[in-house]
Amino acid sequence: MGLERERFPQKQGHSIPCRPETAWIFSQFDGDNDGFLNPTELTSLEGGKRERCLTQFIDHCDDITIDGLISIDEWCDCLSFSLDPHHEPLCHKKRHSVDPHAKDAFLPHCDIDGFFSPSQCHKGECWCVDKYGREMDGSRVHKALPDCRQYAVKITDAELQDLKTKSEM
């Protein structure tokens, strides 16, 4: 595991345990050795176009930083849950049950442990939730950020800035 961690640096503040064979498969697909899998590198998964699931696979696994690329963390996270879907964290399960291409699709924001982030935003509205995604009464606001500190654990300045950006959308 140490070799994989050195070759594929983890994003600061996030590290997913990864089985050696899962990390090895990632390294086989990562043709440019940049630590990310892009759609071109993953085309061999489609087996000559007999399977048309590459877009869905990327949408399903690209959930830590949604950028159209799959990092080693996202790969290990995604494949660990595929081995045992009964133990998938609630927030991840909710995200994976939604078609991200559907009109007005709401994709919840998850924390590193797979629980719901304290603030959720969608279509100009934001609200507070507990770690299981249950909305806090009276917390919903329009085009602003709710003060979720009274309900949840402290959020970082980076998370606050991220939420401000999302609430302005």
Side-chain angles (χ1 to χ4, degrees), residues 60-100:
H60 179 77
C61 296
D62 183 25
D63 65 352
I64 296 172
T65 301
I66 301 172
D67 55 5
L69 302 172
I70 299 177
S71 68
I72 185 69
D73 278 345
E74 290 169 327
W75 176 265
C76 294
D77 185 41
C78 187
L79 294 179
S80 70
F81 292 131
S82 69
L83 296 174
D84 189 2
H86 299 293
H87 293 99
E88 183 174 17
L90 292 173
C91 188
H92 288 189
K93 186 178 282 190
K94 176 70 174 169
R95 283 185 65 87
H96 296 154
S97 71
V98 174
D99 177 0

Side-chain angles (χ1 to χ4, degrees), residues 106 109 118-129 135-136 138-148 160 162-169:
F106 169 63
H109 299 282
S119 296
Q120 300 289 320
C121 296
H122 182 62
K123 295 177 66 179
E125 285 194 321
C126 294
W127 59 95
C128 302
V129 298
E135 185 173 345
M136 301 297 174
S139 67
R140 192 171 285 255
V141 293
H142 187 68
K143 299 230 183 241
L145 286 177
D147 181 9
C148 297
L160 182 61
D162 184 48
L163 289 170
K164 284 180 182 176
T165 303
K166 289 177 180 135
S167 71
E168 295 169 358
M169 293 180 180

Side-chain angles (χ1 to χ4, degrees), residues 100-139:
H101 302 294
K103 184 178 178 178
D104 298 328
F106 169 63
L107 295 170
H109 299 282
C110 308
D111 69 15
I112 192 170
D113 297 316
F115 291 106
F116 288 80
S117 296
S119 296
Q120 300 289 320
C121 296
H122 182 62
K123 295 177 66 179
E125 285 194 321
C126 294
W127 59 95
C128 302
V129 298
D130 67 9
K131 70 183 198 173
Y132 301 105
R134 296 177 295 217
E135 185 173 345
M136 301 297 174
D137 291 338
S139 67

